[in-house]
Amino acid sequence: MSSMRGTVWIVATPLGNLGDLSPRARETLERVGVVLSEDTRRTGQLLQLAGISGKRLLSLHEHNEEERLGEVLDLLAAGTDAAVVSDAGTPLIADPGYRLVAACRERGLTVSPVPGPCAPIAALMGSGLPPYPFVFLGFLPRREGEIRALFRQYAALQATLVFFERKNRVARALEVAASVLGERDFCLARELTKKHEQFINGRLGEPLAESDGLRGELTVVIGPPRAAASSREEVEGLVRDMAGQGLSPRDMARTIRGRTTGWTAKDIYALVLERGAK
């Protein structure tokens, strides 16, 4: 038995485009003694496409992660390096691996991430909605009451919500979201990084466009609550309060813009000039 203990590498793999497999991820998968995968057949296909052969694969998914821990910890203790991969994207992000990582940390074993593709981040990148702060909810519960309770937990946060949902449940999930969260912008990201990648933007409470073409799992992004625009009276009051501070109209407009919502610096600048002319 080796005196050196193995390392667990958490390896992000492509969402659908093989070109997103990083050189470091490829080198790690080639080097480790065992690959722990959510679906060994799917991972086997990925390795074949990447030109990696002869690799030992062990399944690690939500139904067997707890019972697989002992075997994996024994391999690590014997000096075998292991890579954890999910079906696509970044492991642990709504996928298996957390229990293994926690067990390794408790035992002082080395765990190292190999970052790469991640569906929630990719969806945020292309959604056109505020990217931060955001809360990732994972997969929504199956029951409507549980979905409603989940949304209620985050309804008051000024944050973008991101979650996974299947095509046959997404319309109902958005209806529940509208009833709990109110009027907000949303985006459905489908086929991320693939040939038919698509971002469908809409507003909660309105009919879902292009729903017939949806397939598989979707990444849903719901924007934060819409802040009510500052009233003209509120903006005029700030103009009066700052009138004696010696600021130029342009600097005054920029300062007031940071203290209000729904107004552009250009509109405030025009109001400053208007008020100054009277």
Side-chain angles (χ1 to χ4, degrees):
M1 179 179 295
S2 171
S3 61
M4 297 293 292
R5 297 190 297 178
T7 294
V8 173
W9 301 90
I10 310 300
V11 182
T13 55
L15 299 172
N17 190 321
L18 186 62
D20 291 334
L21 183 68
S22 73
R24 183 173 176 230
R26 184 190 299 270
E27 190 273 334
T28 301
L29 292 172
E30 288 176 338
R31 186 183 69 247
V32 298
V34 62
V35 177
L36 308 171
S37 63
E38 194 173 3
D39 184 330
T40 56
R41 289 172 299 180
R42 186 163 181 170
T43 299
Q45 292 172 353
L46 170 65
L47 295 177
Q48 183 179 11
L49 290 172
I52 301 172
S53 60
K55 193 59 58 180
R56 181 184 179 188
L57 298 175
L58 285 179
S59 64
L60 184 79
H61 48 72
E62 61 178 327
H63 302 297
N64 78 344
E65 185 173 1
E66 193 68 43
E67 64 189 49
R68 182 71 81 185
L69 283 180
E71 181 179 357
V72 176
L73 292 172
D74 286 344
L75 288 170
L76 295 170
T80 300
D81 284 349
V84 176
V85 300
S86 60
D87 282 350
T90 300
L92 278 74
I93 306 301
D95 287 326
Y98 162 72
R99 293 183 180 88
L100 174 60
V101 171
C104 289
R105 290 299 183 199
E106 289 174 359
R107 291 160 175 78
L109 296 168
T110 302
V111 178
S112 185
V114 182
C118 179
I121 299 302
L124 282 168
M125 290 165 65
S127 69
L129 300 176
Y132 62 88
F134 77 91
V135 178
F136 177 57
L137 305 179
F139 288 94
L140 290 188
R142 291 292 187 95
R143 298 179 179 177
E144 182 175 319
E146 294 175 347
I147 297 175
R148 193 176 300 276
L150 180 63
F151 285 145
R152 285 198 188 107
Q153 292 182 45
Y154 301 98
L157 289 183
Q158 289 289 331
T160 294
L161 305 180
V162 184
F163 56 88
F164 296 146
E165 187 56 285
R166 292 189 177 277
K167 66 159 189 175
N168 58 318
R169 296 197 294 263
V170 70
R172 185 53 184 158
L174 292 176
E175 290 175 5
V176 175
S179 68
V180 175
L181 303 175
E183 184 178 298
R184 300 194 191 189
D185 296 321
F186 72 85
C187 178
L188 303 182
R190 60 179 293 269
E191 299 291 289
L192 285 168
T193 77
K194 300 176 185 178
K195 180 179 179 180
H196 299 293
E197 177 181 81
Q198 186 178 21
F199 293 87
I200 303 172
N201 289 80
R203 186 169 299 172
L204 293 181
E206 297 181 356
L208 176 59
E210 303 180 71
S211 59
D212 291 341
L214 302 179
R215 297 199 305 271
E217 292 174 359
L218 306 169
T219 305
V220 184
V221 182
I222 298 179
R226 292 186 168 197
S230 302
S231 66
R232 181 182 177 92
E233 291 75 15
E234 181 181 351
V235 178
E236 288 178 339
L238 290 171
V239 171
R240 288 194 299 270
D241 293 343
M242 300 183 67
Q245 296 182 17
L247 295 173
S248 69
R250 192 172 302 280
D251 288 341
M252 188 184 299
R254 289 173 178 168
T255 302
I256 294 174
R257 171 66 185 87
R259 300 181 184 179
T260 57
T261 57
W263 287 70
T264 66
K266 181 179 179 181
D267 291 337
I268 297 172
Y269 178 76
L271 184 59
V272 170
L273 295 182
E274 177 185 332
R275 298 293 299 178
K278 292 183 178 179

